[in-house]
């Protein structure tokens, strides 16, 4: 599917196959085309090229009401002049096969399910953000659609409520077993809620996969940087004779990485902050450091309680700009300004092609060790 | 200085500070302007209740005293205008409702529904606003009199209706003219309001399965209630006070279907001179309907202006 607005291409050649009852999250920075994609599925925009099928049926020329979809908007779009009951009922009015009493009963049932029965006769502007969100959900659920479309539904809520609604949305989705396409720019929402994530950037699909697959085996530098908080460290440099050289670092690659790289010379090294180990500087200064260890200076420490984000720079780096950041356990305390030894296990290193951004080598992962089922 | 005596507590110094020269001059200016704008109105109302002698002998701003007071002017003016009142309201109310409703529908169609050639139609509406009335008077009169004599077509119907006379049919062309010429400005007013509404209302309703007409009827029309107040007041005042079309399409002040604006210049004027008491009474009475509309819709008006801003 391709969507162009005049000369600007919002979505370029996007192809997605979403199985039944899957929770798919479209994620990407603002302006990446994720909302446009959703609106095309909804029928609010029509694709310039390509086709949309829902349940095997061609949808391009169908108006939204004939697509058997429901959508939750970012601003909820609750009709301000109607009560909660009328809002939820509105979508049912055009559905055939209901008597008036059945419609009322269905509204009550959904309200009960969402815990908003007591507010049915109030106006939307008397409700809190979380309650309005529930009403918007109710309006979508009541029609029992084939597909749920959600356009950043949690972005207007405060952090605590957002976490709560996240779980609730997941439970609802499991309960109704409805295929859901969820758009967000928030990678935490994407990671925590989805069955699969589709990462978009500048209108092109970067990668589709399960959350952990995207986290540990990103296909390119954009996905690697976008998924994960704090984001992955990138160091640009050259690859020569099996060794990575940047302005301040020299990092010998082992045979596994060398095989993947072949003869690409301009590369980017990527390391997740949690894969960087910090050690106290030994007595002998920086001499006697192993191959994959470096001496670095702590510039800033951000304590989070459960973990600390340590920003590091190279001691000879005059620009004082942050070079990399590492994640330490909450109980590990480092003072800003001290020198530490940084070690990076070659098993955890990602290597990207500097020109194309493509992943040449992803970290080694023994699934039973890294991702074990409880 | 604060007084030293214990029972007197207010602080004179702060009092003086509050009434700085700047503030005093501000208030003086405000009072002067209020006086400037309200004096003619006051004069008019006072004159309306004075006998001819009192008008001649007292200062116009003064209220009528003892034997100078009379209600005769009012009753005379009311008698002279009563038929015209009915004519004016009979014409202005449907014309207002019509132009406001059509304007709102047109604005909805031009803002919230996508279709080809929208811009061209919008441009036509914009041109409609700037069309000078003087330029269309003669064609308009010819159209309603010779090409499409609607008044004489509906006259038999009007004779058959209760409360109405055959001559009331002459108001129908005027009514339709006002609707037609009111639509552009109403459309533009509603358009700016609709552009400010979140598009997700319409989109949500579309997904909920509502048709274009149902979205208008159930969502847009109720949401734009405050705007209806604003446009209704504006449009009613325009149509009620309008003179040029009325003068062209209704032959004169001596006809039974004449509207208030046609009758008003003639009331109280005679060969023996101008009766100011009667004139002022008539002017005051003629302004009443618009005043009543303003009061009745004041809340909506304020709400509409607020939401528009």
């Amino acid at each position: 599917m391709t969507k162009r607005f005049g000369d600007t291409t919002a979505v370029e050649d996007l192809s997605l196959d979403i199985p039944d009852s899957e929770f798919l999250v479209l994620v990407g920075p603002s302006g990446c085309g994720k909302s446009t994609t959703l609106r095309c599925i909804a029928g609010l925009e029509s694709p310039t090229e390509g086709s949309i099928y829902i349940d095997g049926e061609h949808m391009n020329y169908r108006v939204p009401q004939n697509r058997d979809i429901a959508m939750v908007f970012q601003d909820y779009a609750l009709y301000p002049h109607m009560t909660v009951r009328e809002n939820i009922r509105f979508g049912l009015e055009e559905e055939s096969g209901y008597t008036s009493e059945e419609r009322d009963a269905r509204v009550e049932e959904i309200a009960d399910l969402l815990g908003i029965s007591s507010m049915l006769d109030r106006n939307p502007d008397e409700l809190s953000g979380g309650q309005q969100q529930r009403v918007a959900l109710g309006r979508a659920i009541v029609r029992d659609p084939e597909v749920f479309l959600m356009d950043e539904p949690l972005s207007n809520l405060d952090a605590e409520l957002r976490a709560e609604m996240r779980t609730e949305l997941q439970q609802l989705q499991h309960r109704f077993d409805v295929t859901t396409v969820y758009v967000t720019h928030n990678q935490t929402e994407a990671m925590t809620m989805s069955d699969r994530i589709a990462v978009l950037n500048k209108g092109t699909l970067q990668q589709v996969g399960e959350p952990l697959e995207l986290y540990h085996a990103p296909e390119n530098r954009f996905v690697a940087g976008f998924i994960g908080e704090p984001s992955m460290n990138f160091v640009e440099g050259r690859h020569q004779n099996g060794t990575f050289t940047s302005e301040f670092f020299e990092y010998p690659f082992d045979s596994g990485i060398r095989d993947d790289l072949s003869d690409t010379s301009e590369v980017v090294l990527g390391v997740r902050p949690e894969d960087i180990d910090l050690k106290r500087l030994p007595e002998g200064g920086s001499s006697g450091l192993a191959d994959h260890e470096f001496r670095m200076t702590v510039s800033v420490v951000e304590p989070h309680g459960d973990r600390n984000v340590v920003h590091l720079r190279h001691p000879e780096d005059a620009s004082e700009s942050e070079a990399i950041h590492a994640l330490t356990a909450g109980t590990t305390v480092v003072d800003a300004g001290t020198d530490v030894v940084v070690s990076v296990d070659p098993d955890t290193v990602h290597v990207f092609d500097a020109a194309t951004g493509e992943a040449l080598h992803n970290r080694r992962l023994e699934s039973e060790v890294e991702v074990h089922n409880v | 200085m604060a007084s030293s005596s214990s029972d007197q507590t207010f602080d004179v110094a702060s009092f003086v500070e509050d009434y700085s020269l700047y503030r005093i001059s501000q208030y003086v200016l405000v009072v002067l302007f209020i006086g400037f704008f309200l004096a003619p109105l006051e004069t008019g109302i006072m004159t309306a209740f004075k006998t001819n002698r009192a008008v001649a002998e007292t200062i116009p701003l003064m209220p009528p005293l003892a034997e100078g007071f009379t209600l005769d002017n009012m009753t005379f003016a009311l008698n002279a205008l009563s038929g015209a009142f009915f004519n004016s309201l009979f014409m202005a109310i449907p014309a207002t409702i019509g132009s406001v409703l059509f304007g709102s529908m047109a604005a909805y169609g031009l803002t919230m529904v996508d279709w080809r050639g929208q811009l061209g139609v919008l441009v036509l509406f914009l041109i409609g606003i700037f069309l000078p009335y003087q330029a269309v008077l003669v064609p308009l009169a010819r159209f309603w009199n010779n090409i499409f004599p609607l008044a004489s077509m509906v006259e038999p119907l009007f004779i058959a209706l209760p409360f109405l006379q055959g001559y009331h049919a002459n108001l129908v062309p005027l009514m339709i003219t006002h609707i037609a010429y009111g639509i552009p400005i109403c459309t533009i007013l509603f358009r700016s309001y609709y552009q400010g509404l979140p598009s997700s209302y319409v989109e949500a309703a579309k997904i909920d399965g509502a048709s274009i007409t149902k979205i208008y009827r159930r969502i847009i029309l109720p949401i734009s209630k405050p705007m209806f107040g604003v446009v209704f007041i504006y449009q009613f005042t325009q149509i009620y006070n309008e003179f040029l079309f009325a003068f062209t399409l209704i032959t004169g002040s001596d006809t039974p279907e004449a509207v208030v604006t046609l009758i008003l210049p003639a009331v109280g004027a005679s060969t023996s001179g101008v009766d100011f008491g009667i004139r002022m009474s008539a002017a005051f009475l003629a302004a009443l309907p618009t005043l009543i509309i303003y009061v009745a819709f004041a809340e909506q008006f304020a709400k509409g202006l607020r939401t528009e801003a």
Side-chain angles (χ1 to χ4, degrees):
Chain A
M1 186 200 86
T2 298
K3 172 70 188 174
R4 291 195 201 93
F5 295 103
D7 291 338
T8 22
T9 307
V11 180
E12 177 90 65
D13 209 7
L14 175 85
S15 177
L16 265 175
D17 187 14
I18 309 164
D20 251 0
S21 71
E22 182 177 74
F23 198 118
L24 178 93
V25 174
L26 285 175
V27 70
S30 42
C32 72
K34 53 190 191 303
S35 284
T36 310
T37 308
L38 195 74
R39 291 167 62 83
C40 283
I41 302 176
L44 297 171
E45 310 276 358
S46 46
T48 319
E49 280 163 32
S51 310
I52 295 166
Y53 293 90
I54 297 176
D55 204 14
E57 287 183 61
H58 193 253
M59 287 291 156
N60 280 28
Y61 306 109
R62 281 208 200 168
V63 287
Q65 60 254 47
N66 296 338
R67 296 191 181 202
D68 202 9
I69 47 164
M71 185 158 169
V72 178
F73 290 84
Q74 185 174 357
D75 58 2
Y76 314 141
L78 300 178
Y79 313 128
H81 58 288
M82 295 185 190
T83 62
V84 170
R85 187 192 303 277
E86 289 165 335
N87 260 289
I88 299 178
R89 205 176 185 277
F90 189 81
L92 269 187
E93 286 172 18
E94 296 297 309
E95 299 276 290
S96 54
Y98 284 101
T99 65
S100 185
E101 290 77 33
E102 278 170 351
R103 290 199 177 107
D104 289 333
R106 177 102 179 112
V107 172
E108 300 271 351
E109 180 195 328
I110 295 297
D112 221 31
L113 190 85
L114 291 164
I116 49 173
S117 315
S118 56
M119 304 154 199
L120 275 177
D121 293 312
R122 283 158 70 181
N123 274 334
D125 56 2
E126 296 166 32
L127 305 183
S128 70
Q131 289 164 339
Q132 290 185 6
Q133 167 77 76
R134 267 169 232 260
V135 178
L137 276 174
R139 206 169 61 180
I141 294 170
V142 79
R143 294 176 51 220
D144 195 15
E146 200 71 44
V147 183
F148 270 158
L149 304 174
M150 304 196 184
D151 191 0
E152 310 215 9
L154 302 183
S155 57
N156 289 351
L157 301 177
D158 58 53
E160 197 185 338
L161 205 54
R162 199 180 304 162
E164 194 183 303
M165 286 305 292
R166 222 155 55 196
T167 338
E168 206 164 308
L169 270 179
Q170 268 177 296
Q171 284 167 350
L172 279 173
Q173 200 262 337
H174 282 304
R175 175 162 185 168
F176 289 98
D177 209 28
V178 179
T179 315
T180 304
V181 183
Y182 185 107
V183 161
T184 181
H185 61 264
N186 181 326
Q187 60 93 20
T188 320
E189 277 173 28
M191 288 293 281
T192 51
M193 297 173 76
S194 64
D195 293 329
R196 281 198 308 161
I197 300 178
V199 182
L200 274 93
N201 187 33
K202 293 179 184 155
T204 46
L205 186 64
Q206 305 290 317
Q207 190 174 2
V208 195
E210 286 169 22
L212 288 181
E213 183 188 335
L214 261 62
Y215 188 81
H216 292 299
E219 275 172 16
N220 58 41
R221 187 178 164 176
F222 178 81
V223 176
F226 193 80
I227 303 288
E229 167 70 41
S231 59
M232 187 186 271
N233 293 297
F234 294 110
V235 183
E236 289 174 23
R238 298 176 61 77
H239 166 239
Q240 255 168 345
N241 309 324
T243 305
F244 171 83
T245 325
S246 81
E247 202 182 341
F248 301 108
F249 294 100
E250 222 168 72
Y251 191 87
F253 286 149
D254 61 13
S255 61
I257 304 178
R258 267 195 298 248
D259 291 346
D260 283 342
L261 292 191
S262 59
D263 55 352
T264 318
S265 65
E266 301 290 322
V267 293
V268 177
L269 202 68
V271 189
R272 293 261 174 223
E274 66 269 26
D275 293 329
I276 298 175
D277 280 328
L278 300 185
K279 276 187 291 198
R280 184 184 297 278
L281 197 67
E283 286 304 308
S286 42
S287 62
L289 291 181
D291 266 354
H292 299 122
E293 292 181 339
F294 315 95
R295 180 180 165 175
M296 294 192 83
T297 311
V298 176
S299 53
V300 179
V301 180
E302 291 172 14
H304 284 254
D306 58 336
R307 64 209 165 101
N308 296 321
V309 181
V310 181
H311 296 262
L312 301 156
R313 62 184 166 82
H314 200 267
E316 287 154 37
D317 188 354
S319 68
E320 299 234 346
S321 63
E322 180 212 339
I324 57 172
H325 47 271
L327 213 55
T328 66
T331 45
T332 312
V333 181
V334 203
D335 287 329
T338 52
D339 281 8
V340 289
V341 172
V342 172
S343 69
V344 180
D345 187 336
D347 280 354
T348 64
V349 164
H350 300 256
V351 184
F352 303 95
D353 188 317
T356 63
E358 219 173 297
L360 301 169
H361 172 85
N362 277 321
R363 64 167 305 167
R364 252 158 259 159
L365 204 63
E366 292 138 68
S367 53
E368 64 275 18
V369 180
E370 298 284 344
V371 190
H372 54 263
N373 292 318
V374 181
Chain B
M1 282 293 137
S3 168
S4 55
S5 68
S6 56
D7 57 344
Q8 210 170 0
T9 48
F10 85 89
D11 188 356
V12 180
S14 71
F15 206 66
V16 172
E17 207 173 12
D18 272 355
Y19 290 87
S20 64
L21 200 64
Y22 175 72
R23 279 176 73 100
I24 291 172
S25 52
Q26 211 174 16
Y27 280 111
V28 167
L29 209 63
V30 167
V31 169
L32 275 177
F33 268 102
I34 291 175
F36 182 74
F37 282 113
L38 289 185
L41 190 65
E42 216 257 354
T43 310
I45 295 172
M46 290 312 147
T47 310
F49 292 103
K50 281 179 185 171
T51 57
N52 277 344
R53 250 192 77 176
V55 171
E57 288 172 1
T58 56
I59 301 167
L61 274 170
M62 285 282 285
L65 301 166
E67 71 267 28
F69 178 83
T70 176
L71 282 175
D72 292 350
N73 296 332
M74 272 294 175
T75 36
F76 183 89
L78 194 63
N79 281 333
L81 283 174
S82 56
F85 266 131
F86 180 82
N87 295 341
S88 268
L89 296 179
F90 176 75
M91 180 276 298
I93 291 174
T96 308
I97 293 174
S99 56
V100 172
L101 210 58
F102 283 132
S104 146
M105 285 179 193
Y108 167 72
L110 286 171
T111 351
M112 308 192 119
V113 183
D114 270 332
W115 46 282
R116 245 171 245 257
Q118 242 171 344
L119 193 71
V121 177
L122 182 69
V123 169
L124 279 180
F125 274 95
L126 281 171
I127 293 171
I129 295 182
F130 297 109
L131 210 65
Y133 282 9
Q134 291 84 343
V136 297
L137 288 179
V138 175
L140 200 63
R142 284 191 63 97
F143 176 78
W144 287 125
N145 292 330
N146 305 339
I147 301 171
F148 188 62
L150 183 67
S152 43
M153 288 177 188
V154 293
E155 204 177 329
L157 178 75
F158 273 62
I159 294 169
L161 286 172
F163 304 115
L164 293 178
Q165 307 295 327
Y167 58 75
H168 283 127
N170 288 329
L171 290 166
V172 175
L174 183 60
M175 196 190 292
I176 293 173
T177 306
H178 277 307
I179 293 178
Y181 281 88
I183 287 174
I185 184 69
C186 291
T187 306
I188 299 304
L189 288 172
F190 273 110
R191 193 180 123 89
S192 67
Y193 181 73
Y194 289 159
Q195 276 175 328
L197 287 179
S199 59
S200 55
Y201 285 146
V202 176
E203 288 172 354
K206 257 190 213 166
I207 288 175
D208 278 347
S211 60
I212 286 178
T213 44
K214 191 186 174 188
I215 295 174
Y216 177 72
R217 207 160 30 81
R218 293 286 310 277
I219 312 286
I220 299 304
L221 198 64
I223 287 179
S224 45
K225 235 162 65 189
M227 198 57 199
F228 266 94
V230 175
V231 183
F232 191 87
I233 291 179
Y234 172 79
Q235 197 58 17
F236 179 81
T237 316
Q238 290 286 315
I239 293 176
Y240 182 86
N241 288 337
E242 203 276 338
F243 179 77
L244 213 48
F245 281 159
F247 189 63
T248 317
L249 295 179
I250 290 164
T251 23
S253 61
D254 48 354
T255 51
E257 71 269 23
V259 293
V260 169
T261 42
L262 283 183
I263 299 270
L264 200 56
V267 177
S270 65
T271 42
S272 57
V274 177
D275 188 324
F276 283 104
I278 290 173
R279 293 215 78 148
M280 291 304 170
S281 299
F284 179 68
L285 288 174
L288 267 184
T290 46
L291 281 177
I292 291 169
I293 291 276
Y294 266 94
V295 172
F297 284 88
E299 202 183 329
Q300 296 256 307
F301 191 70
K303 219 168 153 191
L305 288 181
R306 206 164 48 231
T307 44
E308 203 188 6

